[in-house]
Amino acid sequence: MKAIQFDRLGGAEVMELREVPKPDLQPGTIVVKNHVIAINFGDTLFLRGEYLVKPVFPDIPGMEAAGVVDAVAPDVKDITPGTRVAYIGMGAYAEYTRLRRSRAIPLPDFMDFEQGAAFPIAVLTAWHLLHSCHQTTAGQTVIVHSAAGGVGIAAVQIAKAAGARVIGTVSSDDKIAFVRKFGADEVINYATHDFAVEAMRLTGGRGVDLVLDAVGKPTLTKGLGCLAPFGHLVLYGRAGGIPDPVNPMTLFGKALKISGFAVPMVYGMHEIHRRGLDDVYRLAREGKLTVPIGRRFSLADAVEAIRYLQSRRSVGKLLLLP
């Protein structure tokens, strides 16, 4: 089968399209024939050896895709070949991927493979940020950083569905209309405006109830500064670098909270995981949630796709087609 492999740490340039053996089944696993593969910022961290999971060379990047179950281990009884699934699992940049059965999510009939591939990480991350880490309700105000990206645009829609006021931040003016189209009440270009100053102005000096921060170093301190009393900042990425340490005493004045989140932690929490899945599928079925597809690349063009992701010109989700 064809797969993207790398055998040294680095950027997009370390990836190569190679012919490799199709993965064999192991106990408790399935093999999925990938139809659509999603690209995530975490893939760039994995290439550099900075992700939660470390590469074992030669390794295959990618952690999210959708396709059809090709083979099932004898001890797996609750899924059969031919089942349409999405999954979160390492080694997705390939024609076939082996993964634990627990990582596979059967796709509802109304969802195609593109949305199936785009949903697991972006949409579930956004949902858990808003409804597991925080209890987002009508009347709250939420800042969504990187609002034009996959997680950001999902968070805008999920927060609006909960009745919140949404302030999105983007890196350029040409992304403003895109984020407004998906429901943001206000959009701030953080390259030309101080988002914290603007947030305080837009809330009449009160501040916001929740900040969803995937940027890190350039945004965390300012985000804490524009929170309302009892406000909450959730850090779930570090695209702009690891944040500076926070003095806990600075949280006292307005009773603020800061927390962190990574979607893999909910894998074994079946009730919470199922609640998130049920709700995002409901929102999608009702037409309240979709992940816009920014661009599609062939698997052979994975290097170009990663470089485009890193250019900050992309909006929505980027996909690879095997």
Side-chain angles (χ1 to χ4, degrees):
M1 70 170 188
K2 289 182 172 59
I4 297 294
Q5 276 194 335
F6 68 114
D7 47 26
R8 67 188 193 281
L9 299 180
E13 74 283 351
V14 303
M15 298 190 299
E16 295 181 4
L17 182 68
R18 297 174 180 170
E19 193 72 31
V20 302
K22 180 179 174 182
D24 295 324
L25 287 167
Q26 294 180 357
T29 69
I30 63 175
V31 171
V32 174
K33 178 176 174 57
N34 296 322
H35 285 227
V36 180
I37 302 158
I39 298 173
N40 292 279
F41 183 78
D43 299 342
T44 68
L45 298 179
F46 184 67
L47 291 172
R48 299 200 303 263
E50 298 173 4
Y51 192 64
L52 296 171
V53 179
K54 305 303 180 185
V56 178
F57 298 131
D59 213 331
I60 298 172
M63 54 188 74
E64 179 181 37
V68 174
V69 176
D70 179 72
V72 176
D75 61 334
V76 174
K77 306 298 183 183
D78 62 340
I79 198 167
T80 58
T83 303
R84 299 168 66 251
V85 297
Y87 67 83
I88 301 175
M90 304 307 291
Y93 285 18
E95 291 182 309
Y96 294 86
T97 301
R98 180 183 63 223
L99 57 140
R100 295 199 296 273
R101 162 64 185 96
S102 61
R103 298 295 179 91
I105 305 166
L107 287 178
D109 292 340
F110 68 83
M111 185 169 288
D112 62 22
F113 286 123
E114 288 199 348
Q115 285 294 296
F119 251 60
I121 290 178
V123 172
L124 287 174
T125 295
W127 191 91
H128 286 295
L129 289 169
L130 291 159
H131 293 301
S132 296
C133 299
H134 188 80
Q135 302 302 312
T136 305
T137 58
Q140 293 185 356
T141 301
V142 180
I143 286 180
V144 178
H145 284 311
S146 305
V151 177
I153 209 68
V156 167
Q157 296 171 81
I158 296 169
K160 286 302 296 181
R165 180 188 185 191
V166 179
I167 301 172
T169 76
V170 294
S171 60
S172 62
D173 284 346
D174 58 7
K175 296 180 181 180
I176 290 176
F178 176 79
V179 175
R180 284 190 180 277
K181 174 184 174 183
F182 286 90
D185 299 284
E186 309 285 349
V187 185
I188 301 167
N189 179 347
Y190 64 78
T192 58
H193 294 75
D194 186 317
F195 78 85
V197 171
E198 289 297 297
M200 295 302 288
R201 180 184 65 81
L202 291 168
T203 58
R206 174 182 177 272
V208 304
D209 300 285
L210 177 65
V211 175
L212 304 183
D213 189 350
V215 181
K217 187 176 179 66
T219 51
L220 187 140
T221 300
K222 285 186 176 183
L224 290 174
C226 68
L227 285 174
F230 297 99
H232 185 189
L233 184 149
V234 187
L235 182 69
Y236 69 97
R238 51 185 177 92
I242 298 174
D244 295 327
V246 175
N247 180 352
M249 300 304 294
T250 63
L251 307 177
F252 281 33
K254 292 196 289 183
L256 305 180
K257 293 189 296 183
I258 181 170
S259 60
F261 179 74
V263 75
M265 70 159 294
V266 302
Y267 292 163
M269 306 172 74
H270 300 297
E271 182 179 345
I272 293 174
H273 187 46
R274 174 51 56 187
R275 188 167 70 240
L277 276 176
D278 289 347
D279 201 42
V280 298
Y281 283 159
R282 174 188 64 81
L283 291 171
R285 189 168 52 249
E286 293 174 357
K288 297 177 181 178
L289 177 60
T290 186
V291 180
I293 306 305
R295 279 186 64 178
R296 301 164 182 84
F297 299 82
S298 70
L299 182 62
D301 292 329
V303 170
E304 179 188 352
I306 289 292
R307 287 176 174 159
Y308 184 67
L309 175 72
Q310 293 175 313
S311 74
R312 300 195 175 218
R313 291 181 290 129
S314 65
V315 296
K317 200 78 169 179
L318 304 182
L319 303 177
L320 293 176
L321 305 179

